[in-house]
Amino acid sequence: VATMTSQLASQLSEAKTRAEAEMLRQALVDSVSHELRTPLVSILGAATVLHDAPALVSNPQLRDLAQVVREEAERLNADIQNLLDATRISSKGIQPLLEWADPADIVNSAVARCRGRLAQHDLRLDLPDSVPLIRIDPILVQQALIQILDNSRKYSPPNSPIIVSLRAEADTVQISVQDTGAGLTGDESVHVWERFFRSERLASAASGSGLGLWIARAFVSANGGTVTAQSQGINQGTTVTIDLPRSPDPAIKSEARYEE
C-alpha cells in the first residue's frame, strides 16, 4: 500500500510539473510572439511605403534594399505565425468555425496574401466560373493553402510556373497547387507531412522550420478534408491537392464549432 501511495504521489507530482511547464511554454510563446509582431508590423509598413515612394523610383539600389527589408519582415512574420499555429495544434487542438464559403474566394484570398512572395514566379490560376459552396472554416483552409503555396515557391526556380487549380468533383472540391520544382523522392513523399521534416537533399536550398505542410494537413483535416502530394521524382515538380467534402445543401443550418 505504501509503495502504491508513493507511486501515485510521484505521478501526481509529474502531472503537475508537466501542466505548469505547458502553461509556462504557452505564456512564453504568447509573450515572445506579441513582442516580435508589434515592431514587425511597423517595419513591414515602413518598408512598403519606402519601396513605393516616388523618391526611390530613380534609385534602384535603395528600392531593392527596401524590397529586401519587406521580404525578410514578411518571412519572419510567417515564421512567427507558424510557431503560433504549431502551438495551437499541439496544445489546444483546432476549433474550426464553419460557414458556407465560396472556394474561389478562398483561393483568390490566399493568392493575394502570397502575391508579393510569389512575384518571381509565373503564377497561373485555373478557376472555373462556378463551384458549389462548401461548409468549412475558410480561414483555416486559406492558411493551409498559403503554406502549400509558400512551399512551392521555396523549392521552385525563379520564373517557373506555379498553377493553382480548382475543381468540383462528385463528393469533394479540390484545390491543387502544381509546380515544376525540386519534386519528391519516394521516401520524401512518405515523410513530407511530418512535423519538422526537412529533406536533407533540399536543406541548403531554402530556409524553413519544417512545419508548413504539417500545419496545412492539420488545418485541412480539421475541416474533414485530406491533402496529398504527388511527384514523378527529383526535379519533376510536385502537385499538392486539398480535397474538401462537398456539403449536402446550403439550406441546412447548424452551429459548427467543434474540436479536433
Side-chain angles (χ1 to χ4, degrees), residues 68-83:
V68 169
V69 173
R70 184 170 67 176
E71 289 176 352
E72 291 303 302
E74 288 177 345
R75 183 181 63 81
L76 184 54
N77 189 55
D79 288 342
I80 293 172
Q81 184 61 53
N82 283 350
L83 175 63

Side-chain angles (χ1 to χ4, degrees), residues 1 13 77 86 121 129 141 148 153 164 169 177 183 235 250 254 258:
V1 175
S13 177
N77 189 55
H121 289 80
D129 293 333
V141 175
I148 294 167
R153 173 193 66 83
V164 185
E169 302 295 336
V177 177
N235 296 327
S254 64
Y258 68 89

Side-chain angles (χ1 to χ4, degrees), residues 172-173 175 193 216-217 220-221 223-228 241-245:
T172 65
V173 168
I175 304 173
W193 304 107
R217 185 178 67 169
V220 171
S221 296
N223 283 276
T226 60
V227 58
T228 56
T241 302
I242 297 172
D243 279 275
L244 297 165

Side-chain angles (χ1 to χ4, degrees), residues 86-240:
T87 303
R88 174 185 177 190
I89 293 167
S90 300
S91 60
K92 296 180 180 179
I94 308 172
Q95 297 179 328
L97 183 60
L98 306 186
E99 60 184 75
W100 292 107
D102 185 342
D105 288 344
I106 294 172
V107 171
N108 286 322
S109 296
V111 167
R113 288 188 58 185
C114 293
R115 194 168 290 279
R117 281 174 278 174
L118 295 171
Q120 296 185 359
H121 289 80
D122 179 13
L123 181 63
R124 306 174 188 175
L125 299 183
D126 181 11
L127 308 181
D129 293 333
S130 179
V131 176
L133 299 180
I134 51 177
R135 193 163 176 80
I136 54 171
D137 184 324
I139 301 301
L140 289 181
V141 175
Q142 175 184 292
Q143 290 175 333
L145 183 54
I146 289 172
Q147 294 287 1
I148 294 167
L149 285 168
D150 200 46
N151 199 72
S152 287
R153 173 193 66 83
K154 286 180 182 179
Y155 300 109
S156 297
N159 301 316
S160 64
I162 295 178
I163 304 170
V164 185
S165 304
L166 180 62
R167 293 287 181 269
E169 302 295 336
D171 300 317
T172 65
V173 168
Q174 293 183 343
I175 304 173
S176 296
V177 177
Q178 180 182 2
D179 63 56
T180 56
L184 296 169
T185 66
D187 184 65
E188 289 167 351
S189 297
V190 173
H191 298 290
V192 71
W193 304 107
E194 296 176 0
R195 182 169 55 172
F196 301 126
F197 174 76
R198 297 198 68 210
S199 167
E200 294 182 5
R201 175 175 66 93
L202 302 172
S204 62
S207 62
S209 61
L211 289 173
L213 292 183
W214 175 73
I215 290 171
R217 185 178 67 169
F219 284 176
V220 171
S221 296
N223 283 276
T226 60
V227 58
T228 56
Q230 294 182 329
S231 174
Q232 296 299 315
I234 294 176
N235 296 327
Q236 297 299 309
T238 304
T239 300
V240 178

Side-chain angles (χ1 to χ4, degrees), residues 28-40 80:
L28 180 62
V29 168
D30 291 344
S31 176
V32 170
S33 299
H34 175 74
E35 293 300 322
L36 288 175
R37 274 200 147 163
T38 300
L40 259 181
I80 293 172

